[in-house]
Amino acid sequence: MTHTRRAFLGTASAAGLAAALPLRASAQDALQIALMVPSPAADVGWSRTLLDGTEAAAGAVGGEVTFLESISEGPDADRIMQRAVSNGARFVILGSFGYMNGGLQLARRFPDVSILHASGYQTAPNFSPFAAKYYQGTYLMGMAAAALSTSGKIGSVSAFAIPELITSINAFVLGAQAVNPEIECSVVWVNSWFDPASEREAAQALISQGCDVLFSNAQDTPSVISVAEEAGVYAFNLNSPMKSYAPEKYLGVVGTDWAPFFTAQAQAHVDGSFEGANHYLGMEDEVVYVSDWTPDIPADIKTRIDQTQAEIVSGAFNPMTGPLTDQSGTVRVEDGVTMTRDEIQAMDWHVAGVTTPLPN
Amino acid sequence: MRFELIRRDRASLEMALMAPVLALLAAGLVSWALFAAMGVPAGRALWTIAATPFSTWYDFSEVLVKTAPLLLIAQGLAIGFRARVFNIGAEGQLLIGAICASAIPVLLPSAGSPLLWVAMMALGMVGGAAWAAIAAFWRTRLNANEILVTLMLSLIAAQILTYLLLGPWKDPMGMNFPQTRMFQPGALLPGLLPGTRVNLSLLFGVAATIAAYVFMQRSVTGFRLIVTGTAPRAAGYAGVSAARGVWLSLLISGAAAGLAGAAEVAGPLGQLQRSISQGYGFAAIIVAYLGGLHPVGIAVSSLVMSAIYIGGDNAMVFADLPQSAVLVVQGLLLTFYLIAATFVRYRIAWTGTARA
């Protein structure tokens, strides 16, 4: 359950109101945590996993959650996050790249507030970007996809062409090429985190092009998954399992569990040890996981997937290791060289095998 | 039973003033029942929506930030609506205005003049007016319906924006995210009230209100416009050009929407990005009609409308209301107001029982 400061209005209106000032009184109360996301928290998807993680963190540190959903990126978001802080929130989780500039201003104005910001690249003493290494999971999904694809064509419906999503697609294709070097991948960018109609159309377009495994990349709706089920092609998605939308053709999920990370950060805030840092979290941190695999994957491939997964967790293998060639055929990462974390987080090129050019 | 709406001979002033109050009460009652059924403490939720926008200086300043574009666009639209020229595409003209204004800081990132914003506002107005002029051209040339043309031009404007943000105007440091670089200080509108986000665009809105009042209530051109709207034939006999009315209506409303768009990117946004307006172009249509298409009424309705928005957002922060419940309350308010406003001007006449 989410809770808000129910007592606030009574006291505030009685006091003639200095609500724009931070409420010092809340210091000895429970930690007020605010979570802001751009889409509604459905039963599944990005916003839901963030909310689950936030509530788990609140439970662990004895905090209360104010949940702010469907906040479009822009002046409204800036105002609402400011409002939440004025209302006592001291630990703020911003669930979209587009909240970055407003969040940074907020961090500067309120040094006693700790802010976690999804998918960004700016850091401040009380402002930490965080992101999941989805590519670890999408590589494994790519291996399964190549084994199940009969057409040799796979596709992805993707939200925005930012490095995080580009990397996920690249790893998906690299994993597929590990099983079938000839495989090709098409991408449709819908330029929205939450747009069921466009996602549906994009999925149908990919299927009509012959793609028989789809990757729903960073959508907060099960549209792609259900279109794939209707058309009888496999599909997987990120963040939370959507098997109920595709009982027959669900390939699996690259899930995220934010509870351990959010809890640790909220605890750090309470202890006064919160530090601004770039958190890039993967399977080794138990933030990224894969589950709900379809039983249709051939046994030998499934064994390879499990081995690869173990190597990723142990650090013995990194999918973003050369030789990596870009779409023009130029070698971008030499044989045996592993991309650095900064390179991965700034990846703005597709590997060979992705047939759609990047929007530039 | 059959009934029809008969126009009242005279709408009473008291009822006209009571209509919004009654609408507020009715919407409050239905929302109350709705919240109670949802298990949300209804009184506190409604109080949050209705009172918090005015309860602190910060909240009220944010109401003013939102009022500025609504006021500006609605004043422009109302002029056209009274001439029966229905510009439904203010959203598109706003986007084009924002794009044209952004051209200066995006293409000249090192320009250091502190008055860049003046040129940006001018470009925004020209851009918005030019976008609306397309509809005026087709309306006067081919009698193409301006409702459809302006509405569809909005979709084209949105695609142009997406193209620029994904392509030539993308921030080179922005990690491929569809947005431009942040504008330099000279490209930002001066603030109006220290410590708040209220900027010069509020004055644009106030100036537009005064100009609209003088134009519509006092000038011959304004009078001619109204006549072409209310009595097109009489206007024709009197030698008033209908085509001129179409051009004037669309150019004025387009320029106002373009200026609003320019003021948004040079104001609270500080960059060109995907979500510029939060639907101001469409909301302003409602604002214009809520204000009775009268400049003074619109000044009030734009303030009320933005207060409802701010109150709704606050209800999410303070009262645990989901976003969808907030939208329902806003919808109820508008619906009840339109019902009440209809009864001010019309009465129901029962014309007997149903016939077989």
Side-chain angles (χ1 to χ4, degrees):
Chain A
M1 259 314 285
T2 52
H3 303 276
T4 46
R5 295 188 50 81
R6 301 195 187 283
F8 171 73
L9 276 165
T11 45
S13 52
L17 222 51
L21 300 171
L23 295 179
R24 299 282 172 214
S26 65
Q28 71 262 21
D29 296 343
L31 173 65
Q32 299 296 321
I33 304 177
L35 167 66
M36 183 188 282
V37 290
S39 49
D43 298 336
V44 291
W46 166 251
S47 298
R48 165 55 51 186
T49 52
L50 286 185
L51 182 57
D52 289 347
T54 306
E55 286 178 344
V61 302
E64 291 183 347
V65 177
T66 300
F67 179 50
L68 308 165
E69 60 180 334
S70 300
I71 312 295
S72 66
E73 297 144 348
D76 281 350
D78 297 354
R79 183 186 66 249
I80 294 169
M81 64 177 84
Q82 156 115 37
R83 211 73 198 77
V85 168
S86 302
N87 195 31
R90 282 296 166 269
F91 189 77
V92 178
I93 301 168
L94 302 175
S96 176
F97 175 92
Y99 300 150
M100 184 167 69
N101 294 324
L104 272 172
Q105 284 171 14
L106 192 71
R108 236 172 274 139
R109 218 175 298 140
F110 297 94
D112 59 331
V113 173
S114 301
I115 302 175
L116 296 177
H117 170 238
S119 317
Y121 53 86
Q122 301 261 32
T123 304
N126 57 337
F127 186 90
S128 295
F130 70 94
K133 295 177 181 172
Y134 290 109
Y135 70 87
Q136 295 176 331
T138 61
Y139 185 89
L140 303 174
M141 289 290 161
M143 295 173 72
L148 291 171
S149 171
T150 49
S151 67
K153 286 166 91 174
I154 55 181
S156 173
V157 179
S158 292
F160 288 100
I162 56 173
E164 184 179 341
L165 275 64
I166 292 171
T167 307
S168 297
I169 295 170
N170 287 340
F172 174 51
V173 174
L174 292 174
Q177 287 168 344
V179 172
N180 172 7
E182 301 302 314
I183 203 136
E184 286 186 343
C185 179
S186 306
V187 182
V188 178
W189 298 101
V190 291
N191 288 309
S192 171
W193 303 119
F194 188 88
D195 185 348
S198 304
E199 291 159 16
R200 187 159 258 284
E201 280 170 27
Q204 279 158 348
L206 287 172
I207 292 167
S208 68
Q209 286 168 26
C211 298
D212 57 2
V213 182
L214 296 189
F215 166 21
S216 176
N217 191 1
Q219 269 98 47
D220 237 2
T221 81
S223 308
V224 174
I225 303 298
S226 43
V227 169
E229 175 82 1
E230 287 162 22
V233 305
Y234 291 95
F236 79 99
N237 65 291
L238 306 182
N239 294 316
S240 66
M242 296 189 183
K243 193 175 176 65
S244 55
Y245 297 89
E248 297 297 320
K249 290 290 189 177
Y250 196 62
L251 186 65
V253 63
V254 180
T256 41
D257 176 8
W258 297 105
F261 172 65
F262 286 174
T263 303
Q265 293 297 313
Q267 192 59 52
H269 172 85
V270 171
D271 300 341
S273 59
F274 185 95
E275 280 177 17
N278 185 351
H279 300 279
Y280 199 30
L281 306 154
M283 290 181 161
E284 63 278 19
D285 306 290
E286 296 180 343
V287 168
V288 176
Y289 65 92
V290 284
S291 74
D292 294 71
W293 288 106
T294 173
D296 303 350
I297 303 170
D300 57 325
I301 298 291
K302 185 68 173 64
T303 311
R304 273 183 69 186
I305 290 173
D306 292 342
Q307 280 168 0
T308 310
Q309 182 177 350
E311 287 171 16
I312 290 173
V313 173
S314 73
F317 173 68
N318 186 326
M320 308 314 278
T321 301
L324 298 184
T325 313
D326 70 13
Q327 287 174 298
S328 70
T330 313
V331 176
R332 297 290 287 261
V333 181
E334 297 291 340
D335 194 2
V337 176
T338 298
M339 294 175 76
T340 66
R341 165 179 146 153
D342 286 350
E343 285 168 350
I344 293 173
Q345 286 203 288
M347 197 168 194
D348 59 356
W349 49 277
H350 272 317
V351 297
V354 181
T355 52
T356 318
L358 261 182
N360 261 316
Chain B
M1 262 186 285
R2 286 156 52 86
F3 62 89
E4 51 190 286
L5 289 174
I6 310 265
R7 199 176 178 105
R8 294 182 199 272
D9 300 332
R10 263 185 84 245
S12 91
L13 182 66
E14 298 88 80
M15 283 317 292
L17 293 176
M18 276 303 285
V21 179
L22 288 175
L24 216 61
L25 286 177
L29 274 176
V30 176
S31 313
W32 187 293
L34 191 77
F35 293 164
M38 285 169 58
V40 175
R44 208 189 66 251
L46 285 173
W47 174 253
T48 307
I49 293 176
T52 55
F54 304 101
S55 63
T56 69
W57 174 234
Y58 172 76
D59 278 294
F60 187 64
S61 74
E62 287 295 319
V63 171
L64 293 179
V65 170
K66 239 181 168 35
T67 301
L70 287 175
L71 180 59
L72 193 52
I73 302 170
Q75 294 292 10
L77 289 179
I79 291 172
F81 291 164
R82 287 181 75 175
R84 303 236 157 243
V85 177
F86 296 102
N87 177 3
I88 303 299
E91 186 78 6
Q93 293 136 25
L94 179 150
L95 293 182
I96 296 295
I99 290 170
C100 291
S102 303
I104 295 178
V106 169
L107 301 178
L108 306 168
S110 50
S113 162
L115 290 178
L116 281 181
W117 61 268
V118 179
M120 291 168 64
M121 295 305 116
L123 260 187
M125 286 177 75
V126 171
W131 203 244
I134 301 174
F137 176 80
W138 291 120
R139 165 73 194 271
T140 50
R141 191 54 72 89
L142 291 177
N143 202 23
N145 186 319
E146 78 279 6
I147 296 178
L148 289 176
V149 177
T150 52
L151 189 61
M152 290 186 179
L153 281 171
S154 292
L155 302 178
I156 297 175
Q159 292 304 319
I160 294 175
L161 176 68
T162 305
Y163 163 75
L164 289 171
L165 292 179
L166 289 171
W169 286 12
K170 191 170 57 185
D171 180 5
M173 304 302 292
M175 310 291 269
N176 243 5
F177 211 80
Q179 60 192 20
T180 65
R181 49 180 293 281
M182 296 300 287
F183 297 167
Q184 58 265 48
L188 300 178
L189 280 179
L192 208 56
L193 305 167
T196 70
R197 299 200 291 171
V198 181
N199 61 39
L200 222 51
S201 71
L202 185 65
L203 284 193
F204 299 160
V206 172
T209 305
I210 296 168
Y213 185 83
V214 171
F215 181 69
M216 294 311 277
Q217 317 297 131
R218 296 277 178 268
S219 82
V220 178
T221 317
F223 177 71
R224 283 191 181 136
L225 258 184
I226 296 173
V227 173
T228 54
T230 45
R233 287 186 147 205
Y237 293 134
V240 177
S241 156
R244 189 154 175 267
V246 170
W247 275 99
L248 207 56
S249 298
L250 282 163
L251 288 179
I252 290 174
S253 54
L259 178 60
E264 281 301 296
V265 289
L269 287 170
Q271 68 180 154
L272 190 63
Q273 59 169 49
R274 277 182 313 131
S275 52
I276 293 174
S277 93
Q278 338 281 343
Y280 292 145
F282 296 115
I285 298 170
I286 304 170
V287 169
Y289 275 100
L290 283 183
L293 300 185
H294 188 282
V296 177
I298 290 169
V300 175
S301 64
S302 60
L303 204 62
V304 170
M305 189 77 169
S306 62
I308 294 173
Y309 279 122
I310 303 286
D313 289 346
N314 283 348
M316 214 170 13
V317 179
F318 300 143
D320 218 358
L321 267 195
Q323 172 87 340
S324 43
V326 172
L327 290 175
V328 168
V329 175
Q330 291 169 349
L332 281 172
L333 249 174
L334 298 177
T335 310
F336 279 116
Y337 177 78
L338 291 177
I339 293 172
T342 305
F343 280 123
V344 170
R345 256 173 277 171
Y346 298 88
R347 62 191 169 83
I348 290 182
W350 303 96
T351 55
T353 50
R355 276 161 285 188

